[in-house]
């Protein structure tokens, strides 16, 4: 099939970007979206033109590196699918496709479709872990975890940190990502001692990074390649509220 | 060059314990005076950086991705082994040790493998404590499954996303240390060379992948945990960025390269479809627990799978290896698939494929039961192939997956360059000529959490380090070399894209140094690779400049190193006149087509020393002594 692409080209963070038109010919429906871009890039290189920069690594939908707006939708039209796992059979011959980077003030564009997502790392740094040091852990089976909780925790832990939720949200909110991280640990016994501190610190970090607030558009859930449920946002909000109300008491009794 | 493996002399079961006792410690107050560099933040590097920072060392950690959490370890699906014997099915440290030695076709060091089996038990505890959501039984206890090459259920998993969850555990531990200031993290930073001062590893030279800034970092010890080099084949299950640059540069500065020709070919990957294909996708080996592998008995049988009656199917693994059946180890299962396809019995359009059939399992467990076990894998398969594996069998074919070769290290995980340590897939250790499933994750974490924190302390406590900083002449020299190499790549007035050359190299490697090798083919490859390399430096086209995000430039540097490594791999394969594990030399096979080892002449690790530009590298041999297990013909019948 033959396609017309409009791709966001921006040489670096400081310069202005614009949409540029390309033809993509003889596209095989079995190609992944990124393989289609590879072929376009090969042609650009042959014409001595700068290839389109985009982030990717595993190409298996698990590392969370890839990500782009495809026709205005984060990761493209197929539900629960990252850009690298999107195949060209989702498109039709003659289609026009618009490709842009994540748009969020907390994710500055570095070049073309490549953005800086280190804000996510800083949210994790604020408390997205269990403070256990190496080498003194008790036997794994000494901590019993009901299967339902382990499964639910795993549902949250499946977040690949791609940032589609932020890009899809009209407010540029990082609630789904942060909620997934908070919930993963909050659902496990190991996560309890630091639970309140964690949620407060991570939510504060999210705000410091300039992510917007959640006003229940649910676009994040629709765009998430791992289909993380917004129920985790409700869970996080509950935890946050409880933490804010009771942390005061805790510090007083210390 | 002298190879001293530093294997402790105590009895096997006591080696690690005694060694830990004998190693010198660094006083806690002194640890904060030392700087350690860790390149790579996968399971091996991430866990090492976090653990060393916990101990008090100052750590600088580097990775080429935008976040430490994206290292290739994240893609591991199936699971991680540990000799917990939770299933009471006869597992033990000794059995895991034995399975690994045998699985590796008796080409691994006993002492290392025993230590790995011993530590495996602690890894699970550590990860559970970190909040890794391992699969659980309804009782709340940890669940297990089995994997290729073993008859016990010792594999722990988190759905089909075990690597992701283990890596997130290590990454979170790392982020905790970044927050305390003990770790300084450098994402989107690629190590391009290593600095050796007075014979000791003292630093690295890096390129900032956003600004192009070339910089030297100095430390008291350097750790490389940069993963495997399977991408030398172009098509592999590895992430696109996986490369050999870090270890190749270290090799050229004096670190021995161990067993470069040992490549693991994984039997359960989605077959290649077209020329444009950029990588191959692995389907976790755990599928072989319930899937049955078959091809038609009849050559060239083009009927669709449903029309081929039971008696006209050849369940060749079950037939040839009755006691392991579909769970035969990877090298054996891969070669068996190649064999039936070479006979003309392969399935799918290309004829390079075999069926992995779940019909029986679906009858037994129902769609629901299958979904519970393998749901995300089935979904992934469907997404890529557009076929529904609940209805038709999957088609699979072997693909390059893991490299058992890597920099040679001693028992302390130190290379032949003092102060340079290598962890995880980047070193040569522990798996011998073939890796059993679910043991790379185990090795990465054992190295990072539980071995390096001890052995690096011993090095630091017993070594006198001269003061050195970035203005040292050696640093300036290496930095200049890195800069001029980049400039040289940018200046080539050629027309060919980096990828096109990489593809060409990959084809040579797959044809002549892939699943089966022979003298003639290897000699041809050894002629062809230098030609491709020469052409590369004349005709490659790298656009843009150094001072920007330049993905072509990144690739160009990596492929330049692959073009050199490939030659060493072929040389090593040619030198090893035997078949073992992932190294199958067609000239050396039994009447039944199994590997024919030559323990008399090849029971050693081949460690190659760089000989200088245009000189043949020098082969050193570390003889392997088997004291606890008997060298036997490997049988899975
Ligand atoms: C698809 C797939 C599935 C797998 N499934 C399993 C499984 O189920 N069980 C199992 O045990 N094993 C599995 N493996 C193997 C296992 O995942 C790897 O061997 C292991 O994760 C390697 O870990 P590592 O820490 O050594 O390296 P990696 O995780 O590859 O990390 C390498 C790190 O080095 C960095 N790096 C590399 N070069 C440079 C450079 N020049 N400069 C700066 N940084 C650099 C990278 O950024 C990265 O951080 C699988 C492998 C694949 C490909
Ligand atoms: S919640 Fe979903 S969309 Fe957001 S970062 Fe995680 S995986 Fe991506
Ligand atoms: S490239 Fe890894 S998720 Fe797409």
């Amino acid at each position: 099939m033959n396609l017309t692409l409009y791709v966001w080209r921006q040489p670096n963070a400081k310069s202005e970007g614009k949409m540029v038109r390309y033809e993509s010919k003889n596209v095989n429906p079995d190609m992944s979206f990124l393989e289609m871009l590879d072929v376009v890039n090969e042609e650009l290189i042959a014409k001595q033109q700068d290839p389109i920069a985009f982030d990717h690594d595993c190409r298996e939908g698990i590392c969370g590196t890839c990500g782009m707006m495809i026709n205005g939708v984060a990761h493209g039209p197929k539900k629960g699918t990252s850009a690298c796992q999107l195949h060209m059979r989702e498109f039709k011959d003659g289609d026009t496709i618009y490709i842009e980077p994540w748009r969020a003030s907390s994710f500055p564009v570095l070049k073309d479709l490549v953005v800086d997502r280190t804000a996510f790392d800083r949210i994790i740094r604020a408390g997205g872990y269990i403070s256990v040091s190496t080498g003194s852990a008790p036997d794994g089976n000494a901590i019993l975890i009901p299967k339902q909780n382990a499964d639910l925790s795993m549902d949250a832990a499946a977040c690949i940190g791609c940032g589609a939720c932020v890009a899809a949200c009209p407010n540029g909110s990082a609630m789904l990502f942060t909620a997934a991280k908070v919930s993963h640990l909050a659902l496990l016994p190991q996560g309890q001692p630091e639970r309140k501190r964690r949620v407060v610190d991570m939510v504060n970090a999210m705000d410091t990074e300039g992510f917007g607030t959640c006003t229940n558009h649910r676009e994040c859930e629709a765009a998430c390649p791992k289909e993380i449920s917004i129920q985790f946002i409700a869970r996080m909000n509950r935890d946050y509220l409880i933490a804010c109300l009771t942390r005061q008491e805790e510090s007083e009794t210390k | 060059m002298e190879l001293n493996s530093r294997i402790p002399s105590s009895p096997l079961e006591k080696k690690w314990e005694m060694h830990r006792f004998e190693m010198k410690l660094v006083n806690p107050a002194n640890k904060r005076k030392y700087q350690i560099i860790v390149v790579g933040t996968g399971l091996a590097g991430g866990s090492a950086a976090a653990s060393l920072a916990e101990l008090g060392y100052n750590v600088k950690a580097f990775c080429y991705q935008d976040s430490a959490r994206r290292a290739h370890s994240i893609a591991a699906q199936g699971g991680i082994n540990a000799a917990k014997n939770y299933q009471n099915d006869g597992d033990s440290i000794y059995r895991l040790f034995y399975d690994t030695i045998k699985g590796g076709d008796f080409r691994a060091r006993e002492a290392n493998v025993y230590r790995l089996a011993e530590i495996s038990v602690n890894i699970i505890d550590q990860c559970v404590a970190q909040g890794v959501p391992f699969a659980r039984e309804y009782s709340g206890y940890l669940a297990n499954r089995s994997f290729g090459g073993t008859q016990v259920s010792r594999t722990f998993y988190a759905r089909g996303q075990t690597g992701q969850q283990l890596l997130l555990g290590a990454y979170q531990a790392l982020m905790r240390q970044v927050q305390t200031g003990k770790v300084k993290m450098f994402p989107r930073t690629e190590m391009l060379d290593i600095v050796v001062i007075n014979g000791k590893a003292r630093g690295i030279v890096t390129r900032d992948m956003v600004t192009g800034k070339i910089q030297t970092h100095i430390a008291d010890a350097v750790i490389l945990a940069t993963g495997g080099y399977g991408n030398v084949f172009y098509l592999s299950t590895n992430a696109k960025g996986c490369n050999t640059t870090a270890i190749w540069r270290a090799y050229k500065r004096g670190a021995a390269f161990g067993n470069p020709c040992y490549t693991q070919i994984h039997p359960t990957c989605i077959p290649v479809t077209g020329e444009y294909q950029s990588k191959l996708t692995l389907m976790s080996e755990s599928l072989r627990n319930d899937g049955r592998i078959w091809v038609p008995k009849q050559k060239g049988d083009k009927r669709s799978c449903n029309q081929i009656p039971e008696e006209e199917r050849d369940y060749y693994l079950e037939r040839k290896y009755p006691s392991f059946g579909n769970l035969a180890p990877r090298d054996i299962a891969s070669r068996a698939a190649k064999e039936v396809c070479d006979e003309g019995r392969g399935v799918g359009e290309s004829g390079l494929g075999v069926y992995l059939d779940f019909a029986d399992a679906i009858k037994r467990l129902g769609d629901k039961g299958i979904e519970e076990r393998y749901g995300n894998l089935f979904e992934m398969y469907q997404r890529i192939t557009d076929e529904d594996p609940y209805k038709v069998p999957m088609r699979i074919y072997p693909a390059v997956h893991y490299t058992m070769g890597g920099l040679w290290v001693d028992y302390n995980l130190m290379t032949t360059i003092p102060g340079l340590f290598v962890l995880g897939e980047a070193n040569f250790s522990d798996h011998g000529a073939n890796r059993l499933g679910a043991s790379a994750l185990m090795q990465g974490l054992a190295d990072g959490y539980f071995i390096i924190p001890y052995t690096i302390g011993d090095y630091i406590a017993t070594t006198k380090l001269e003061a050195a900083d970035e203005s040292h002449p050696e640093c300036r020299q290496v930095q200049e070399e890195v800069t001029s190499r980049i400039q040289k790549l940018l200046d080539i007035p050629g027309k060919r894209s980096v990828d096109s050359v990489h593809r060409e190299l990959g084809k040579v490697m797959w044809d002549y140094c892939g699943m089966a090798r022979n003298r003639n083919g290897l000699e041809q490859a050894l002629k062809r690779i230098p030609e491709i390399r020469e052409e590369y430096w004349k005709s490659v086209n790298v656009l843009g400049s150094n001072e920007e995000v330049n993905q072509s430039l990144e690739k160009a540097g990596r492929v330049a190193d692959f073009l050199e490594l490939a030659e060493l791999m072929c040389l090593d394969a040619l030198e090893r006149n035997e078949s073992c594990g992932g190294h199958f030399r067609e000239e050396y096979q039994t009447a039944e087509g199994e590997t024919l080892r030559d323990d008399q002449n090849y029971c050693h690790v081949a460690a190659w020393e760089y000989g200088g530009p245009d000189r043949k590298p020098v082969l050193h041999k570390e003889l392997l002594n088997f004291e606890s297990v008997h060298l036997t013909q490997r049988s899975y019948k």
Side-chain angles (χ1 to χ4, degrees):
Chain A
M1 44 202 218
N2 296 323
L3 304 165
T4 304
L5 310 180
Y6 285 91
V7 185
W8 183 259
R9 301 304 308 263
Q10 179 175 341
N12 54 52
K14 291 193 193 82
S15 53
E16 271 181 29
K18 60 171 190 292
M19 297 299 275
V20 179
R21 182 173 192 272
Y22 300 97
E23 299 288 324
S24 178
K25 295 219 158 61
N26 297 322
V27 175
N28 182 322
D30 285 333
M31 283 179 173
S32 73
F33 198 81
L34 303 190
E35 282 167 346
M36 183 275 293
L37 286 179
D38 288 343
V39 173
V40 171
N41 275 344
E42 286 290 293
E43 284 163 11
L44 287 177
I45 293 171
K47 286 190 273 186
Q48 301 285 321
Q49 289 175 19
D50 194 23
I52 302 159
F54 59 94
D55 253 341
H56 64 102
D57 203 18
C58 74
R59 296 201 171 190
E60 285 190 17
I62 189 75
C63 71
T65 310
C66 67
M68 52 191 78
M69 301 301 280
I70 300 170
N71 287 339
V73 181
H75 289 300
K78 197 170 158 81
K79 224 180 129 35
T81 304
S82 58
C84 60
Q85 288 288 292
L86 178 69
H87 284 77
M88 296 315 291
R89 61 181 84 94
E90 304 299 324
F91 299 88
K92 288 192 310 293
D93 188 31
D95 272 359
T96 298
I97 307 177
Y98 290 83
I99 311 172
E100 292 168 87
W102 289 164
R103 304 271 188 207
S105 57
S106 311
F107 290 165
V109 175
L110 296 177
K111 178 174 181 174
D112 300 344
L113 307 174
V114 178
V115 301
D116 179 355
R117 284 168 292 193
T118 39
F120 271 8
D121 286 330
R122 289 188 291 271
I123 295 177
I124 301 298
R125 264 167 57 180
Y129 42 75
I130 286 168
S131 300
V132 52
S133 291
T134 310
S136 57
D139 187 273
N141 263 348
I143 306 169
L144 293 182
I145 305 175
K147 185 172 186 311
Q148 297 85 326
N149 292 15
D151 283 353
L152 194 57
S153 169
M154 181 64 216
D155 288 344
C159 161
I160 57 174
C162 62
C165 46
V166 176
C169 175
N171 305 329
S173 164
M175 286 290 260
L176 193 61
F177 167 78
T178 312
K181 295 289 150 188
V182 164
S183 302
H184 156 210
L185 297 175
L187 280 158
L188 297 172
Q190 303 92 304
Q192 298 315 308
E194 296 170 298
R195 183 169 173 178
K196 289 179 189 166
R197 202 179 67 198
R198 176 180 308 117
V199 66
V200 173
D201 289 351
M202 287 177 74
V203 169
N204 289 346
M206 190 175 83
D207 292 342
T208 313
E209 291 296 334
F211 289 105
T213 49
C214 172
T215 47
N216 288 315
H217 287 269
R218 309 185 66 152
E219 295 291 344
C220 54
E221 188 185 55
C224 174
K226 295 294 146 182
E227 307 190 286
I228 309 276
S229 160
I230 55 159
Q231 282 180 14
F232 292 120
I233 296 184
R235 182 180 289 276
M236 176 170 81
N237 283 338
R238 203 166 60 225
D239 267 20
Y240 182 74
L241 195 66
I242 295 172
C244 289
L245 292 173
T246 55
R247 237 158 66 108
Q248 196 66 28
E249 295 163 25
E250 254 173 38
S251 36
E252 276 162 12
T253 49
K254 239 181 217 162
Chain B
M1 177 179 287
E2 192 210 349
L3 295 179
N4 180 353
S5 58
R6 292 198 174 75
I7 298 170
S9 54
S10 349
L12 190 64
E13 296 78 14
K14 289 267 173 250
K15 280 188 199 297
W16 181 229
E17 191 186 327
M18 289 307 292
H19 191 63
R20 272 192 304 178
F21 174 70
E22 280 157 10
M23 280 187 293
K24 295 278 174 298
L25 299 174
V26 181
N27 169 334
N30 282 341
K31 287 195 184 116
R32 71 178 97 92
K33 296 185 191 146
Y34 293 99
Q35 177 73 55
I36 296 173
I37 283 174
V38 182
V39 188
T41 57
L43 284 177
S47 59
S51 306
L52 292 169
E54 281 165 15
L55 288 173
Y57 296 106
N58 302 302
V59 177
K60 283 185 175 180
F62 299 81
C63 71
Y64 69 73
Q65 291 93 348
D66 67 331
S67 163
R69 59 163 292 151
R70 305 205 206 279
H72 177 56
S73 296
I74 200 123
Q77 302 167 347
I80 175 166
N81 284 336
K84 282 282 200 186
N85 195 29
Y86 282 159
Q87 307 305 324
N88 197 24
D89 56 0
D91 203 7
S92 63
I93 289 173
Y94 195 86
R95 190 179 293 277
L96 175 51
F97 157 73
Y98 181 78
D99 285 348
T100 309
I101 289 280
K102 176 185 168 199
D105 222 346
F106 304 93
R107 289 293 175 265
R109 232 186 245 152
E110 269 191 345
N112 285 54
V113 177
Y114 193 86
R115 173 176 64 186
L116 179 64
E118 214 178 331
I119 290 175
S120 71
V121 180
N122 303 348
I123 297 172
I124 301 303
D125 300 341
Q126 179 67 30
C127 297
V128 168
Q130 285 173 341
V132 170
F134 282 117
R136 298 265 168 175
E137 307 287 359
Y138 281 101
S139 57
Y141 288 101
L142 288 154
N144 291 108
R145 60 185 172 201
S146 52
F147 244 57
T150 62
Q151 288 167 311
V152 290
S153 284
R154 64 160 73 101
T155 306
F156 293 77
Y157 62 101
R159 290 206 187 129
Q161 300 157 24
T162 317
Q164 180 197 25
Q165 293 310 318
L166 294 173
L167 183 62
L168 291 181
Y171 156 78
Q172 289 166 3
L174 181 63
M175 287 299 114
R176 174 173 164 236
Q177 297 306 320
V178 173
Q179 186 73 356
T180 66
K182 278 312 222 181
V183 174
K184 196 157 168 1
M185 185 67 223
F186 296 81
R188 286 200 202 273
T189 308
E190 185 158 22
M191 167 192 164
L192 293 180
D193 216 328
I194 175 163
V195 180
V196 180
I197 300 178
N198 294 333
K200 297 187 199 84
R202 293 303 302 274
I204 60 171
V205 173
T206 58
R207 175 175 180 270
D208 181 317
M209 293 158 74
V210 179
T211 64
K213 187 167 177 211
I214 308 291
Q215 203 180 352
T216 305
H217 302 265
I218 284 290
D220 299 297
V222 176
I223 297 173
L224 303 183
T226 50
Y229 52 83
N231 276 355
V232 65
F233 291 88
Y234 188 75
L235 283 183
S236 84
T237 63
N238 288 4
K240 290 292 285 174
C242 291
N243 67 91
T244 186
T245 293
I247 61 171
W248 190 251
R249 306 269 113 209
Y251 163 73
K252 290 182 85 171
R253 301 224 176 252
F257 206 117
N259 297 332
C261 79
Y262 287 172
T263 306
Q264 173 162 85
I265 316 281
H266 196 291
T268 52
C269 300
I270 300 178
V272 181
T273 43
E275 268 299 306
Y276 55 81
Q277 196 144 348
S278 60
K279 75 158 283 181
L280 298 173
T281 304
L282 170 92
M283 301 300 294
S284 165
E285 182 176 35
S286 62
L287 291 170
R288 291 201 275 148
N289 272 319
D290 287 302
R292 298 180 67 197
I293 295 175
W294 63 275
V295 288
K297 281 190 177 151
Q298 200 58 41
K299 247 189 228 175
D301 188 337
K302 287 283 163 218
R303 285 176 293 174
S304 79
C305 50
N306 306 330
Q307 286 166 342
I308 302 179
E310 200 59 29
E311 53 296 349
E312 290 177 45
R313 300 175 177 191
D314 180 11
Y315 294 89
Y316 57 89
L317 285 177
E318 297 169 34
R319 170 170 60 79
K320 286 166 78 171
Y321 308 99
S323 60
F324 280 74
N326 295 301
L327 286 175
R330 291 178 178 177
D331 55 329
I332 292 181
S334 296
R335 261 195 309 280
K338 180 179 190 304
E339 218 175 88
V340 294
C341 294
D342 288 350
E343 285 168 16
R345 298 197 285 145
V347 301
E349 219 163 285
S350 62
L352 296 177
V354 300
Y355 288 127
L356 175 62
D357 196 340
F358 286 86
D360 286 356
I362 290 173
K363 250 180 244 149
R364 200 170 67 241
L365 303 162
D367 280 5
K368 195 97 197 76
I370 291 288
E371 194 191 330
E372 177 91 339
R373 282 187 201 182
Y374 311 111
N376 70 318
L377 296 171
F378 273 50
E379 203 186 301
M380 187 159 119
Y381 182 84
Q382 174 151 26
R383 188 166 288 159
I384 294 173
T385 61
D386 210 18
E387 285 173 5
D388 181 358
Y390 290 98
K391 301 213 173 79
V392 290
M394 292 183 179
R395 283 175 297 111
I396 53 167
Y397 196 68
V400 171
H401 180 57
Y402 181 93
T403 43
M404 282 77 70
L407 290 189
W408 182 91
V409 290
D410 65 15
Y411 189 70
N412 290 336
L413 305 182
M414 191 161 84
T415 63
T416 48
I417 302 176
L420 179 67
F421 296 81
V422 186
L423 318 183
E425 192 173 340
N427 72 24
F428 89 103
S429 76
D430 296 14
H431 308 297
N434 172 47
R435 175 179 72 91
L436 289 186
S439 44
L441 302 182
M442 170 172 76
Q443 187 219 336
L445 291 179
D447 289 0
Y449 283 135
F450 297 106
I451 301 174
I452 196 70
Y454 292 98
T455 59
I456 211 166
D458 183 59
Y459 170 76
I460 283 174
T462 56
T463 309
K464 181 125 187 46
L465 290 163
E466 305 82 11
D469 62 24
E470 285 77 6
S471 65
H472 193 282
E474 195 57 37
C475 295
R476 267 186 279 158
Q477 170 73 26
V478 178
Q479 193 163 323
E480 253 161 51
E481 282 174 36
V482 167
T483 313
S484 66
R485 193 175 139 90
I486 290 174
Q487 203 49 50
K488 206 169 144 196
L489 282 167
L490 288 167
D491 288 346
I492 302 172
K495 290 260 175 297
R496 279 189 73 177
S497 72
V498 176
D499 273 346
S500 74
V501 182
H502 193 180
R503 229 178 259 269
E504 186 179 345
L505 172 73
K507 179 133 178 40
V508 170
M509 291 303 284
W510 178 248
D511 287 347
Y512 299 122
C513 198
M515 242 190 298
R517 303 108 193 243
N518 59 48
R519 171 166 294 276
N520 187 8
L522 288 165
E523 280 168 351
Q524 279 188 53
L526 282 168
K527 219 172 124 272
R528 186 67 197 123
I529 294 164
E531 290 167 5
I532 303 177
R533 192 167 58 226
E534 197 176 320
E535 203 199 317
Y536 184 75
W537 285 98
K538 275 197 214 119
S539 68
V540 81
N541 179 10
V542 187
L543 295 163
S545 74
N546 173 54
E547 287 72 27
E548 58 176 333
V549 174
N550 188 338
Q551 296 176 335
S552 310
L553 178 63
E554 292 160 17
K555 272 195 243 174
R558 294 173 192 160
V559 172
D561 289 330
F562 279 140
L563 282 163
E564 296 181 13
L565 166 77
E567 192 175 344
L568 186 68
M569 291 171 74
C570 292
L571 195 61
D572 186 44
L574 185 62
E575 200 74 32
R576 190 171 278 279
N577 290 316
E578 66 163 350
S579 290
C580 58
H583 170 67
F584 190 76
R585 277 284 297 274
E586 286 166 351
E587 303 94 320
Y588 309 98
Q589 48 180 308
T590 65
E592 291 150 315
E594 305 292 342
T595 55
L596 190 60
R597 273 196 342 253
D598 177 354
D599 292 331
Q600 206 74 45
N601 296 304
Y602 293 95
C603 195
H604 62 243
V605 176
W608 293 89
E609 179 183 1
Y610 181 60
D614 304 317
R615 285 240 199 81
K616 201 178 159 193
V618 187
L619 174 62
H620 301 269
K621 294 174 185 172
E622 178 199 339
L623 294 184
L624 293 168
N625 291 318
F626 289 90
E627 289 162 10
S628 302
V629 296
H630 292 295
L631 290 170
T632 53
Q633 172 76 30
R634 214 166 141 229
S635 168
Y636 291 89
K637 298 243 164 195

